Amino acid sequence: MKRIVITLGIMLVSVARVWAGDEAPTPESNKNAIDLVQSHADYVWTLIAAAMVFFMQAGFALVESGFTRAKNAVNIMMKNLMDFSMGTLAFWAIGFGLMFGASSTGWFGFSGFFLSDFSVGGDPWVLAFWMFQVVFAATAATIVSGAMAERTKFVGYLLYSVVISGVIYPIFGSWAWGSLYNGGGWLENLGFIDFAGSTVVHSVGGWAALAGAIVLGPRLGKYGKDGRIKPILGHNMPLAALGVFILWLGWFGFNPGSTTAANKDIAMIFVNTNLAAAAGCVLAMFTSWAKFGKPEIGMSLNGALAGLVAITSPCASVSPFSSVIIGAIAGVIVVMAVLFFDRIRIDDPVGAISVHGVCGAWGTLAAGIFNLGGTSAKIIGVQVLGIAACFLWVFPAAFVMFKLIDKFVGLRVSPEEELEGLDFVEHGGNAYPDFEVSSYGGVSTGGSPGAGSYGSEPVPGLSSSASPAGAS
């Protein structure tokens, strides 16, 4: 018993000494501790969201691969791999500085190249912020890939991935988002609303895709001399559907992650994102059902992605009810847009222009119309200005870039190579070595079961041209 008393006495003395060495907590010290916890939570949430957006690259790869032919699957996987790899280096070296560097003009930044804002022992926030932004840059680049699938030279692809990630995307991004770090863009100073990038990311990719598809021209056999659209069927619809589910999941990092803060605001952004995607999917299904007589899977997947793209701009500034309206309208728009581009003979194998370009513009406009803080002619006018500025910068710049690549390097493979398939001629590979892959097939004419026709009108939704545009 005596030993126990002595032991307890020694322990009490030791604890008293420890307490005596600590300062009593004060309101200021408590605040500092809370701020430190919040700061760490912000870092964790931002990097988790960045990882979710990075995983969207897998979704893009699966969607594009599923909605194109088996003979090009290796090429598509290589393009998506190099999208992120080449884009990462370009954004590190040039893009981040142009987008977020210090700017006195509001047009682009002049500092922060090669991550020079970071110094050992300094504030590491620039690293977390850069990681989140680089996955956005890669998204813009991979959108273009889908519209130019099955006929683009790989070396030409590598070049335009660098230019889009390093120059075209960052310059417009600096106009709208520069103040998120050291910059300050002229467009955001006017009050432009684009919380997570319906225009900054998606329309940039969509309008660059439009330029690329025009310069390249359609795939062989896509349009008949009589004006008939000949569906070129994708080889794996389940693969494409899995890709859309991955993209839907990744969007929960894309939109809520744009807070770059672990706070309660992300709850409404999550809900709005999901509601818009669901509404877009349902309305695209009903629109295709009314149009073609069948509830078409390609258009339904398109609708989900269209809803996601449309809600990306207003996700933090509209109500859940408004999100349903925005997504539903996007679901109708995307079906009509896919049919429109096919009619004017712009061959977009995965519909990237329709989902990202057109629905990105709609979502940006909707951010002004349905704004929780109220709307006005000025707010809507600024949104329209931002949409127009994006097109007037991206489309001409991308068009000139593709023309230059075509002139000096070559942008399109030869007809023989296109027919053979890019897997073999560009990479010496075969995605399905244990299966027989038709190199010259894949084009279906009207009247056969693969034509994708109900009645007298082809169903573009059954062709790769009407497949989900979120594909890279």
Side-chain angles (χ1 to χ4, degrees):
M1 183 66 180
K2 187 176 181 180
R3 287 182 180 178
I4 294 174
V5 172
I6 292 172
T7 302
L8 289 174
I10 292 172
M11 291 174 63
L12 289 172
V13 170
S14 300
V15 171
R17 286 178 178 175
V18 171
W19 282 352
D22 290 339
E23 296 181 2
T26 64
E28 183 179 358
S29 65
N30 285 340
K31 180 180 182 304
N32 291 337
I34 292 170
D35 289 345
L36 184 62
V37 171
Q38 180 63 57
S39 176
H40 288 176
D42 293 344
Y43 273 80
V44 171
W45 167 238
T46 299
L47 292 172
I48 288 174
M52 293 174 70
V53 178
F54 167 74
F55 190 50
M56 291 173 71
Q57 292 289 324
F60 286 128
L62 292 176
V63 174
E64 184 183 348
S65 178
F67 278 93
T68 51
R69 288 167 288 186
K71 63 184 181 179
N72 298 310
V74 169
N75 175 257
I76 285 162
M77 293 300 160
M78 279 293 292
K79 290 195 304 179
N80 280 270
L81 176 65
M82 299 316 297
D83 259 336
F84 189 77
S85 300
M86 299 288 286
T88 291
L89 296 175
F91 195 72
W92 163 72
I94 303 170
F96 186 77
L98 289 176
M99 190 164 177
F100 296 108
S103 173
S104 59
T105 64
W107 292 96
F108 52 85
F110 295 93
S111 66
F113 302 107
F114 298 95
L115 265 180
S116 58
D117 288 336
F118 173 70
S119 60
V120 178
D123 183 4
W125 174 248
V126 65
L127 300 180
F129 184 71
W130 179 87
M131 193 65 228
F132 187 73
Q133 293 301 328
V134 74
V135 292
F136 273 54
T139 299
T142 202
I143 289 166
V144 186
S145 168
M148 301 173 66
E150 301 200 290
R151 63 223 195 260
T152 305
K153 279 188 175 182
F154 187 66
V155 65
Y157 182 84
L158 296 179
L159 290 173
Y160 83 69
S161 289
V162 170
V163 175
I164 289 173
S165 299
V167 180
I168 294 177
Y169 164 76
I171 286 180
F172 183 79
S174 72
W175 300 352
W177 286 353
S179 67
L180 293 178
Y181 195 62
N182 286 333
W186 66 269
L187 192 54
E188 63 180 328
N189 290 336
L190 296 176
F192 182 63
I193 304 168
D194 192 0
F195 184 77
S198 288
T199 287
V200 174
V201 178
H202 296 283
S203 283
V204 165
W207 302 142
L210 176 62
I214 291 173
V215 173
L216 266 181
R219 290 167 292 173
L220 296 176
K222 175 63 180 175
Y223 302 111
K225 293 182 179 179
D226 59 356
R228 182 176 175 82
I229 300 169
K230 299 179 180 179
I232 299 177
L233 305 181
H235 83 283
N236 195 325
M237 186 66 72
L239 203 67
L242 176 60
V244 171
F245 283 119
I246 290 174
L247 289 169
W248 196 326
L249 172 66
W251 239 284
F252 294 133
F254 203 102
N255 287 359
S258 292
T259 59
T260 60
N263 57 37
K264 295 183 287 186
D265 294 342
I266 64 175
M268 188 175 77
I269 299 173
F270 261 90
V271 170
N272 287 348
T273 300
N274 193 61
L275 285 173
C281 184
V282 171
L283 264 292
M285 179 194 70
F286 281 122
T287 303
S288 67
W289 203 337
K291 183 75 176 171
F292 311 127
K294 297 286 185 179
E296 207 279 303
I297 180 64
M299 289 295 190
S300 300
L301 294 172
N302 252 340
L305 296 175
L308 289 164
V309 168
I311 199 60
T312 298
S313 173
C315 60
S317 58
V318 299
S319 69
F321 184 76
S322 295
S323 298
V324 173
I325 297 173
I326 293 167
I329 293 174
V332 176
I333 288 174
V334 72
V335 176
M336 298 297 106
V338 165
L339 298 177
F340 169 77
F341 285 114
D342 248 351
R343 288 193 186 103
I344 63 173
R345 303 172 75 88
I346 293 177
D347 183 16
D348 179 358
V350 298
I353 303 163
S354 301
V355 166
H356 296 280
V358 177
C359 290
W362 156 241
T364 305
L365 180 62
I369 296 173
F370 296 96
N371 184 32
L372 278 173
T375 189
S376 66
K378 179 182 177 182
I379 290 174
I380 294 175
V382 170
Q383 296 303 102
V384 172
L385 176 63
I387 294 167
C390 179
F391 182 84
L392 293 174
W393 159 244
V394 174
F395 181 79
F399 190 86
V400 170
M401 172 191 68
F402 287 124
K403 280 291 189 181
L404 291 174
I405 292 174
D406 190 37
K407 180 177 178 61
F408 293 104
V409 179
L411 190 61
R412 182 164 183 156
V413 298
S414 69
E416 294 76 18
E417 291 171 330
E418 183 177 344
L419 290 170
E420 182 69 22
L422 303 188
D423 286 1
F424 179 75
V425 299
E426 291 273 31
H427 308 286
N430 184 352
Y432 303 98
D434 295 328
F435 296 87
E436 181 179 351
V437 176
S438 174
S439 295
Y440 293 87
V443 178
S444 170
T445 57
S448 68
S453 297
Y454 293 104
S456 61
E457 182 172 353
V459 182
L462 294 180
S463 75
S464 61
S465 67
S467 54
S472 73

